[in-house]
């Protein structure tokens, strides 16, 4: 119930985080669009020419994967410093410490939604079009939020005690990028490794985004089941870890 009790504080912190993120940048939110577009261009040139990628609508295929991954990469990395970055709110007054993580993840959720909205005209311009299945996007993104939020709780709590965690997480994010079907189709994964590959919830999640945005079809039931189960599990584990470690936050900071 603390979410409702502290909803105004969460709102203020979320808006503040968004302002800080974009106000010192010359192009502001435009960087959120230029970054994935430039990355898509590089990957498109490499994988379409060097590796002869023949995926239909390969540019959009890449862009959806990149934009999807950015919420995980940027959201979790930013939330890692949510507790350490606001020591006065931890040591001088009492608020549920989860508020700090929640506001950071929410601000990145808003940024992610805006990035996906920019995809809509690109889907039309590049010939893929849109369909009624796009209405499933909020459902998919909410499941994604649970996954990112659960991971962020774990990272924010651990970072209070282990300040080199950000270096380790940067490496894991890079590994995760190439262990998810972002730049290559799922069909290229050898069948003997596919069951292990599907343990990565990002695999099913990215497939769901492409189903509703690019392929105009319902997500596969197994993908929906995997992401819901992963979201709830990670959320519960993240909450338990955070609650266990938050007792000494004030001392460590």
């Amino acid at each position: 119930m603390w979410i409702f009790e502290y909803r105004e504080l969460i709102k203020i912190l979320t808006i503040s985080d968004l302002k800080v993120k974009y106000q010192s940048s010359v192009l502001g939110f435009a960087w959120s669009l230029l970054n994935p577009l430039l990355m898509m261009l590089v990957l498109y040139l490499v994988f379409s020419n060097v590796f002869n990628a023949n995926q239909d609508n390969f540019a959009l295929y890449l862009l959806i994967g990149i934009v999807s991954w950015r919420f995980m990469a940027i959201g979790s990395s930013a939330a890692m410093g949510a507790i350490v970055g606001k020591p006065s709110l931890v040591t001088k007054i009492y608020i549920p410490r989860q508020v700090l993580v929640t506001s950071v993840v929410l601000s990145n959720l808003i940024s992610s939604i805006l990035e996906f909205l920019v995809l809509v005209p690109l889907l039309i311009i590049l010939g893929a079009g849109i369909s009624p299945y796009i209405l499933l996007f909020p459902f998919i993104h909410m499941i994604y939020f649970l996954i990112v939020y659960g991971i962020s709780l774990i990272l924010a709590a651990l970072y209070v005690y282990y300040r080199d965690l950000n270096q380790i997480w940067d490496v894991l994010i890079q590994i995760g990028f190439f262990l998810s079907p972002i730049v290559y189709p799922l069909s290229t994964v050898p069948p003997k490794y596919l069951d292990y590959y599907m343990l990565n919830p990002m695999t099913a999640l990215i497939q769901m985004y492409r189903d509703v945005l690019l392929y105009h079809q319902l997500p596969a039931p197994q993908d929906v089941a995997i992401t819901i189960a992963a979201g709830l599990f990670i959320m519960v584990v993240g909450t338990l870890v955070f609650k266990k470690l938050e007792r000494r936050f004030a001392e460590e900071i």
Side-chain angles (χ1 to χ4, degrees), residues 32-48:
S32 297
L33 174 61
L34 289 174
N35 190 296
L37 282 175
L38 291 174
M39 184 178 293
M40 179 211 70
L41 180 61
V42 172
L43 293 175
Y44 180 82
L45 292 174
V46 172
F47 282 86
S48 62

Side-chain angles (χ1 to χ4, degrees), residues 8-81:
E8 286 300 320
L9 176 59
I10 293 173
K11 177 182 176 181
I12 292 170
L13 291 174
T14 300
I15 294 174
S16 175
D17 187 70
L18 284 169
K19 289 180 178 179
V20 170
K21 185 184 300 183
Y22 296 120
Q23 71 180 3
S24 59
S25 173
V26 175
L27 295 180
F29 175 73
W31 279 118
S32 297
L33 174 61
L34 289 174
N35 190 296
L37 282 175
L38 291 174
M39 184 178 293
M40 179 211 70
L41 180 61
V42 172
L43 293 175
Y44 180 82
L45 292 174
V46 172
F47 282 86
S48 62
N49 294 325
V50 176
F51 296 104
N52 194 28
N54 55 7
Q55 181 78 29
D56 292 338
N57 293 312
F58 188 52
L60 289 172
Y61 182 91
L62 280 174
L63 193 55
I64 292 172
I66 292 168
V67 172
S68 302
W69 182 255
R70 278 171 60 83
F71 182 30
M72 170 63 74
I74 299 176
S76 60
S77 297
M80 189 184 305

